Amino acid sequence: MKILTSTPAGDGFLMPAEFAPHQGCILIWPHRRDSWQNGAYAARKAFAELITIIAGSEKVTVCARFEDYDEARRLLPDNVRVVEMSSDDSWARDVAPTFITNGSELRGIDWGFNAWGGLYDGLYFPWDRDNKIARKLCDLMDADCYDLRDFILEGGSIHTDGEGTLLTTEECLLGRGRNPDMSKQEIEEKLCSSLGVKKIIWLKRGIYNDETNGHIDNICAFTAPGEVVLAWTDDKNDPQYEISKECLDILEDSTDAEGRKIRVHKLILPKPVHITAEECEGLDHMDGEPTRTPGERLAASYVNFYIANKTVIVPQFGDENDKKALELLSGLFPDRVVRGIYARDILIGGGNIHCITQQIPAVSKT
Amino acid sequence: MKILTSTPAGDGFLMPAEFAPHQGCILIWPHRRDSWQNGAYAARKAFAELITIIAGSEKVTVCARFEDYDEARRLLPDNVRVVEMSSDDSWARDVAPTFITNGSELRGIDWGFNAWGGLYDGLYFPWDRDNKIARKLCDLMDADCYDLRDFILEGGSIHTDGEGTLLTTEECLLGRGRNPDMSKQEIEEKLCSSLGVKKIIWLKRGIYNDETNGHIDNICAFTAPGEVVLAWTDDKNDPQYEISKECLDILEDSTDAEGRKIRVHKLILPKPVHITAEECEGLDHMDGEPTRTPGERLAASYVNFYIANKTVIVPQFGDENDKKALELLSGLFPDRVVRGIYARDILIGGGNIHCITQQIPAVSKT
């Protein structure tokens, strides 16, 4: 593995869309007892169900701590690879490399990671194990690695269409917890030079009460070039309504890097999901304080799906809208099987299916 | 990775000779402060020198603990892969899988490991991290893995010629610390069914004062089918003389699996090497006791070389016989460059170049 200090775009590399072909997918086995209730028991079952589906159409690598390796190996199918890797928590989207390609070669980007806001409003301390994962995964895969650790970015805060357009939110990227000394223009330039994009569509805010400071991947996602799904509610009394309406207005007023108007599909949200007292009981405290409060609204959204080579895996919440979400996405991904998995036990950790996965784009063999 | 409970020989797999082509090599970054003096500072330099040479003709994977990853990465060249893996010490020969192949597929054997003798006369406790390495490396490499953990064996206690013959020592394999409830015949059967060999040549003892209970890889090694080098001294007052003479008599009286007489090349030993008081000072104590005593004789031997694809790397001790060893081996490996590296800092840990390496045989792509 070479550590590179040039820019990916300058070297001819870009981040493909998630719906482009993958050679694999990375996840991190959950373990953190103040994130995942009951010693991550239920989360592990949900992760295993998800991983088994993804592994049906792409090679999955699961990173497990030394002390969790045997259990991960026991609960995962033979065709999944489990590798030892230390971590602070289990959000591969945000701590694994962002993979980029020039068509024939794969490289990774090692962004800085500070647990979604560092000492300003980050979610745990320390985060050094997480911050070392991207580089170690590049090393494991023999992929050269761009050192962009001086720029704080999580994979969940960006979506690309693979054709020059990037979607993100101001709430996250312009917040005080990431890169407070950079202007919006400097951040735009960093994203363009790193990801090979030319046009950035800035939404204002992400899902209500999303502790990632409004990651894009919970509110809006590309399903094809020029097409997105947007998390939506028709309930004007829900604080989410105003947020989603603002996004809709921006998207309908935007064109992408190719000059296309953006076609927006409203993906209805589940009814608000609140953590119960019993669920909170199952979470360890952190530094003597509870990490969740009974009744707290969780950032549930169907937009947090993962697009695998042959399937799209969508969170389900036992809600009447579960089926509607699957139906809408089935129409948008006619070449893939759209599958739901019950994901409340992932949601309690603070994210969902997209947050715990990171795709590895396929490259053509030369 | 599938866990297999059949036998490799029954499945058509065998262990190739070390001089057959490799696809790679595995080492473990040294860290154990009661094995490696001065916080493994000097050992790391020697490991890095060795690894750099091996990496010139095969892909090297170095396993480093979480806390050592950055330093290993810093000291090793770009073309070496560093992966996170927990370990108790750094003897890849003895804790990595023994790799076997049917020509087109690679598999690994996960032997039981008990730190060279377990609670009877093992060298440290606990050894659970080491004992999990073989399986994790198979998983990392997507190689199916034979579960032979009920049989205690270290890779350093066996050498094969790839044509049906295995060399080992009674001192080690029949000792009380490994498999005390198995007869010699049962052990022979286990070796044959696991490694695809048909004939076992049993030497009596290994190098004098070798704390591995006389591993074969420090006293005798195949250099070609039907040819071995044997560690030798002409000093009849050295306790090593009687040991080497006994080996010579056995070898000269043996034929291999193909019925060939064994041709023995005497590889002269360096003058006895003793650890100094200063070197002992640099070693942490274990459980309150020193792990070495000033003046203790170390098991120095030129036989502990590694045969890489294009080089043979041989320990050197600053001894007048260093050059003779290189000359003899150069004659025996005419197609490879024979290189010495100063290895006293590895020897102090209790083994040498062969002990810290494990080859991965090449397979033909189908």
Side-chain angles (χ1 to χ4, degrees), chain A residues 1-2 59 66 69-70 73 78 81-86 129 132 135-136 139-140 142, chain B residues 1-2 59 66 69-70 73 78 81-86 129 132 135-136 139-140 142:
Chain A
M1 174 185 65
K2 286 194 191 72
K59 181 74 194 177
F66 170 78
Y69 173 85
D70 289 344
R73 189 63 280 171
D78 285 349
R81 178 168 77 149
V82 183
V83 299
E84 182 182 340
M85 197 165 296
S86 299
R129 288 170 196 265
K132 289 176 186 289
R135 185 160 302 204
K136 285 192 289 189
D139 206 347
L140 183 74
D142 270 327
Chain B
M1 172 185 68
K2 287 195 191 70
K59 182 73 194 179
F66 170 78
Y69 173 85
D70 289 343
R73 189 63 280 172
D78 285 349
R81 177 167 77 150
V82 183
V83 299
E84 181 181 341
M85 196 165 295
S86 300
R129 288 168 195 266
K132 288 175 186 290
R135 186 160 301 206
K136 286 193 289 188
D139 206 347
L140 183 74
D142 270 326

Side-chain angles (χ1 to χ4, degrees), chain A residues 27 29-30 36 40-54 75-76 313 316 340-347 352-353 356-357:
Chain A
L27 294 94
W29 192 243
W36 309 99
Y41 171 79
R44 288 175 179 192
K45 291 179 81 165
F47 272 59
E49 184 185 358
L50 170 66
I51 289 164
T52 302
I53 297 171
I54 299 173
L75 294 173
L76 294 171
I313 307 108
Q316 303 277 275
I341 66 167
Y342 183 69
R344 185 179 177 102
D345 294 312
I346 305 176
L347 177 66
N352 222 307
I353 290 170
I356 61 173
T357 51

Side-chain angles (χ1 to χ4, degrees), chain A residues 105-144:
Chain A
E105 183 187 344
L106 182 79
R107 294 181 180 172
I109 297 177
D110 179 13
W111 311 105
F113 176 79
N114 69 359
W116 308 275
L119 299 182
Y120 176 67
D121 63 350
L123 298 176
Y124 47 72
F125 176 89
W127 53 79
D128 59 308
R129 288 170 196 265
D130 280 351
N131 196 26
K132 289 176 186 289
I133 286 175
R135 185 160 302 204
K136 285 192 289 189
L137 281 168
C138 288
D139 206 347
L140 183 74
M141 297 170 60
D142 270 327
D144 290 341

Side-chain angles (χ1 to χ4, degrees), chain A residues 23-68:
Chain A
Q23 61 177 276
C25 180
I26 294 166
L27 294 94
I28 301 168
W29 192 243
H31 57 82
R32 193 177 173 102
R33 301 178 60 97
D34 53 17
S35 286
W36 309 99
Q37 56 165 337
N38 300 336
Y41 171 79
R44 288 175 179 192
K45 291 179 81 165
F47 272 59
E49 184 185 358
L50 170 66
I51 289 164
T52 302
I53 297 171
I54 299 173
S57 66
E58 47 198 64
K59 181 74 194 177
V60 181
T61 295
V62 174
C63 302
R65 300 185 307 169
F66 170 78
E67 52 269 54
D68 300 324

Side-chain angles (χ1 to χ4, degrees), chain A residues 18 35 52 56 93 179 195 213 227 235 262 265 291 311 340-341:
Chain A
E18 189 173 327
S35 286
T52 302
R93 178 66 51 186
N179 304 289
L195 297 165
N213 310 98
E227 280 191 64
D235 179 0
I262 307 293
H265 304 276
T291 54
T311 50
I341 66 167

